[in-house]
């Protein structure tokens, strides 16, 4: 039985104490209205109206129900509102993974952006590598993840991807830091500081493959899980590293130089399960892409002729095997 509908009809009849006028107000015929009230009485096991006289009146049970009906109907409406917000991803909790190297300012902007789109939603950010995010997504312990491509996974949706141009990090005292641009072949004889392969295997292999194809085979590969340790390796061990220009701003003794060709571009996007997707996952993907891309130049003229943009947005990633 649709209790809320029957209750709303009962309230109108109780206020009018006339089935004909109540039917007109409700926009239905009188027989169906009478049947609705009779069914409500049967289901509740009471008589709500005294029909023994020419003018109907409320019984004691009817008076009590009329007093309770507004509270019951308000509760029913609130349940519908809550369920609609849950369906649309406006409330509840979104478990979201982000890479460990994500800067604090980016995390802050991401949380503020989600709060603006869904004020009632609790975003539970978790620091996880790309590999860890893919595993926890598959285990249904994460709702959406922000990963570095390429990755191998199935049954995942992919949000807009942001490509960031990588340059080389060098000790500022290095002779290579005197160059305006550095070729990969110029780095011969250096160690390479890079994230552990287990954190993002396909991206790790792609970086090393690009280096080899362009004349740079690292003397030794050293691993760093976080930007601070990576910068320390660059300074203390004379390593080089491939990072966005923003990473160099953390340490004044480190210089960032663009590569002669933009052969290394890190692609990042949100991914989430194709089935039983959290309703706020796509919103998180869009907000993350906007924040990772950052403010665009006001006009194309802001860039020198032929100068590559430091970032670009692409959708969907063409090297991701999941559906778009």
């Amino acid at each position: 039985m649709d209790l809320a509908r029957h209750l709303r009809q009962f309230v109108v009849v109780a206020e009018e104490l006339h089935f004909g006028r109540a039917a007109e107000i409700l926009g239905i015929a009188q027989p169906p209205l009478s049947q609705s009230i009779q069914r409500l009485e049967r289901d509740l096991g009471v008589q709500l109206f005294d029909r023994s006289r020419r003018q109907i009146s409320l019984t004691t049970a009817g008076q009590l129900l009329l007093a309770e009906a507004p509270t019951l109907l308000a509760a029913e409406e609130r349940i519908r509102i809550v369920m609609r917000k849950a369906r649309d991803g406006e409330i509840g909790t979104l478990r979201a993974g982000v890479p460990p190297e994500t800067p604090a300012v980016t995390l802050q902007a991401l949380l503020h952006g989600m709060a603006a789109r869904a004020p009632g939603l609790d975003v539970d950010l978790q620091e996880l590598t790309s590999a860890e995010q893919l595993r926890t997504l598959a285990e249904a312990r994460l709702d959406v993840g922000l990963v570095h491509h390429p990755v191998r996974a199935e049954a995942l949706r992919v949000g807009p991807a942001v490509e960031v141009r990588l340059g080389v990090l060098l000790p500022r005292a290095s002779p290579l830091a005197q160059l305006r641009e550095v070729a990969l072949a110029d780095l011969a004889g250096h160690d390479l500081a890079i994230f552990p392969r287990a954190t993002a295997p396909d991206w790790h292999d792609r970086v090393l493959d690009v280096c080899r194809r362009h004349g740079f085979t690292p003397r030794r590969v050293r691993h760093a899980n976080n930007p601070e340790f990576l910068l320390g390796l660059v300074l203390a061990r004379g390593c080089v590293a491939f990072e966005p220009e923003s990473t160099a701003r953390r340490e004044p003794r480190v210089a960032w130089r663009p590569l002669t060709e933009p052969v290394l571009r890190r692609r990042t996007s949100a991914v989430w399960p194709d089935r039983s997707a959290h309703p706020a996952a796509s919103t998180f993907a869009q907000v993350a892409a906007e924040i990772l891309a950052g403010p665009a130049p006001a006009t194309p003229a802001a860039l020198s002729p032929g100068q590559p943009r430091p970032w670009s947005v692409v959708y969907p990633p063409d090297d991701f095997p999941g559906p778009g």
Side-chain angles (χ1 to χ4, degrees), residues 126-233:
Q126 302 179 27
E127 184 185 55
L128 299 168
T129 66
S130 293
E132 290 170 337
Q133 291 182 55
L134 293 172
R135 183 171 62 254
T136 51
L137 283 167
E139 296 169 352
R141 294 189 291 114
L142 198 68
D143 299 312
V144 61
L146 199 57
V147 302
H148 299 318
H149 295 271
V151 292
R152 298 175 186 176
E154 297 179 355
L156 290 177
R157 298 184 190 180
V158 185
V162 176
E163 288 186 337
V164 179
R165 179 166 52 100
L166 303 183
V168 59
L169 295 182
L170 303 155
R172 194 166 289 277
S174 169
L176 293 178
Q178 308 307 311
L179 303 176
R180 294 188 60 181
E181 294 182 335
V182 176
L184 283 172
D186 295 334
L187 302 176
H190 286 79
D191 292 356
L192 175 65
I194 191 174
F195 53 91
R197 185 180 185 277
T199 64
D202 291 324
W203 174 231
H204 181 281
D205 293 346
R206 173 173 289 187
V207 171
L208 294 182
D209 180 62
V210 168
C211 288
R212 284 191 293 268
R213 286 190 288 109
H214 289 78
F216 172 41
T217 299
R219 183 179 55 189
R220 181 176 178 181
V221 175
R222 301 180 183 272
H223 292 134
N225 283 305
N226 61 72
E228 286 71 23
F229 188 68
L230 182 143
L231 290 168
L233 289 178

Side-chain angles (χ1 to χ4, degrees), residues 9-278:
Q9 293 174 348
F10 160 77
V11 169
V12 176
V13 176
E15 290 174 344
E16 294 297 323
L17 292 177
H18 194 283
F19 277 90
R21 289 195 300 269
E24 289 181 11
I25 292 172
L26 292 168
I28 60 176
Q30 183 172 334
L33 177 59
S34 298
Q35 294 169 8
S36 175
I37 297 302
Q38 290 170 4
R39 180 172 182 183
L40 180 61
E41 290 177 321
R42 288 196 305 271
D43 287 339
L44 295 179
V46 295
Q47 185 174 342
L48 300 172
F49 294 98
D50 183 355
R51 301 172 178 83
S52 62
R53 299 182 182 86
R54 186 170 184 177
Q55 171 132 10
I56 64 171
S57 61
L58 285 168
T59 63
T60 299
Q63 292 172 358
L64 291 172
L65 182 59
L66 181 60
E68 294 289 337
T71 301
L72 296 173
L73 291 173
E76 188 262 353
E77 179 61 21
R78 171 159 177 76
I79 289 173
R80 290 185 180 276
I81 292 174
V82 170
M83 292 301 99
R84 184 169 63 250
K85 288 184 175 181
R87 179 199 65 198
D88 297 339
E90 297 177 6
I91 58 175
T93 300
L94 176 71
R95 300 167 299 176
V98 293
E101 72 275 11
T102 307
V105 65
T106 301
L107 296 176
Q108 182 184 33
L110 186 55
L111 289 174
H112 286 176
M114 288 301 296
R117 303 281 182 94
L121 183 68
D122 177 27
V123 180
D124 176 18
L125 288 183
Q126 302 179 27
E127 184 185 55
L128 299 168
T129 66
S130 293
E132 290 170 337
Q133 291 182 55
L134 293 172
R135 183 171 62 254
T136 51
L137 283 167
E139 296 169 352
R141 294 189 291 114
L142 198 68
D143 299 312
V144 61
L146 199 57
V147 302
H148 299 318
H149 295 271
V151 292
R152 298 175 186 176
E154 297 179 355
L156 290 177
R157 298 184 190 180
V158 185
V162 176
E163 288 186 337
V164 179
R165 179 166 52 100
L166 303 183
V168 59
L169 295 182
L170 303 155
R172 194 166 289 277
S174 169
L176 293 178
Q178 308 307 311
L179 303 176
R180 294 188 60 181
E181 294 182 335
V182 176
L184 283 172
D186 295 334
L187 302 176
H190 286 79
D191 292 356
L192 175 65
I194 191 174
F195 53 91
R197 185 180 185 277
T199 64
D202 291 324
W203 174 231
H204 181 281
D205 293 346
R206 173 173 289 187
V207 171
L208 294 182
D209 180 62
V210 168
C211 288
R212 284 191 293 268
R213 286 190 288 109
H214 289 78
F216 172 41
T217 299
R219 183 179 55 189
R220 181 176 178 181
V221 175
R222 301 180 183 272
H223 292 134
N225 283 305
N226 61 72
E228 286 71 23
F229 188 68
L230 182 143
L231 290 168
L233 289 178
V234 170
L235 289 172
R237 294 288 186 176
C239 294
V240 297
F242 302 115
E243 289 290 322
E245 187 175 5
S246 57
T247 304
R249 301 192 190 111
R250 299 174 183 237
E251 172 54 64
R253 293 170 295 172
V254 168
W256 183 91
R257 294 293 178 265
L259 296 167
T260 53
E261 298 178 35
V263 291
L264 285 175
R265 299 180 72 87
R266 188 171 66 196
R267 178 181 290 181
T268 305
S269 81
V271 296
W272 63 97
D274 186 40
R275 294 183 178 180
S276 302
H278 191 290

